[in-house]
Amino acid sequence: MKDYVVITYAEVELIEKEVRQLLNDGWTVAGGICIAYKHEHGHHGEHIHGHLVYAQAMVRETN
């Protein structure tokens, strides 16, 4: 069986740190890093400026 997780952060340094930790814990990357522009609205419909989000899929084998 495989475990699968997608990690996301708005700061590249944070995703690098998380990926490094997961690699040290036996996970492997599944494909390359993705960068998306995230557009959001607040709770009352107000506009929130968009921002970049970095995402990386990770997998590992489990017994």
Side-chain angles (χ1 to χ4, degrees):
M1 178 178 243
K2 286 189 178 186
D3 287 333
Y4 177 87
V5 66
V6 176
I7 54 174
T8 61
Y9 285 99
E11 293 90 24
V12 71
E13 296 83 11
L14 294 177
I15 199 166
E16 288 174 347
K17 182 179 178 182
E18 180 83 11
V19 168
R20 192 176 304 113
Q21 181 61 51
L22 289 171
L23 289 170
N24 288 332
D25 291 342
W27 292 77
T28 58
V29 294
I33 194 165
C34 295
I35 303 171
Y37 182 78
K38 187 175 183 180
H39 178 83
E40 298 181 279
H41 292 279
H43 295 293
H44 301 289
E46 69 271 13
H47 175 74
I48 299 173
H49 292 289
H51 59 278
L52 291 178
V53 175
Y54 302 90
Q56 176 65 61
M58 307 289 294
V59 294
R60 74 173 171 185
E61 291 287 333
T62 58
N63 295 331

